[in-house]
Amino acid sequence: MQTINISDFRANLLKYLEIANSGEQISVTSNNKLLATVTPPINQQELAKQQLKALASTAKIHDITSPTDSEWNALS
C-alpha cells in the first residue's frame, strides 16, 4: 500500500486513480493523519461468481424437491 500526502494526491489525481484501478491501495494523509484510503474497484460480476461457487460447494442434490414430512396445501 502506498501512502501519499493530500497535496501530492490533488496534484496527481489521475495518476493515483490509475494506480488504484490497477489493483493497489493508496492511503491519503494530511499532517501524518490518515484522511482516506483509495481502493481498487470491486468487480461485481466476479464477486457474484465466487459467491455462487461457494454456495454450490455446500448445496445438496434434490435438496429442494425432496419430500418433507409435513403436509402442505398450496391451494388454501
Side-chain angles (χ1 to χ4, degrees), residues 23-74:
E24 186 176 345
Q25 285 188 339
I26 299 170
S27 293
V28 182
T29 62
S30 177
N31 297 324
N32 293 322
K33 181 181 175 186
L34 182 64
L35 297 177
T37 302
V38 181
T39 61
I42 297 171
N43 184 338
Q44 294 292 338
Q45 186 175 15
E46 189 58 37
L47 180 62
K49 285 180 184 179
Q50 290 173 358
Q51 291 172 337
L52 285 174
K53 283 182 184 179
L55 182 61
S57 68
T58 61
K60 296 178 184 177
I61 304 292
H62 304 292
D63 188 36
I64 296 174
T65 59
S66 300
T68 63
D69 295 334
S70 60
E71 291 191 25
W72 182 63
N73 187 353

Side-chain angles (χ1 to χ4, degrees), residues 5-23:
N5 189 288
I6 187 71
S7 58
D8 188 25
F9 183 68
R10 279 189 216 154
N12 300 294
L13 180 60
L14 183 57
K15 170 187 156 188
Y16 288 118
L17 291 179
E18 288 173 349
I19 290 171
N21 191 42
S22 69

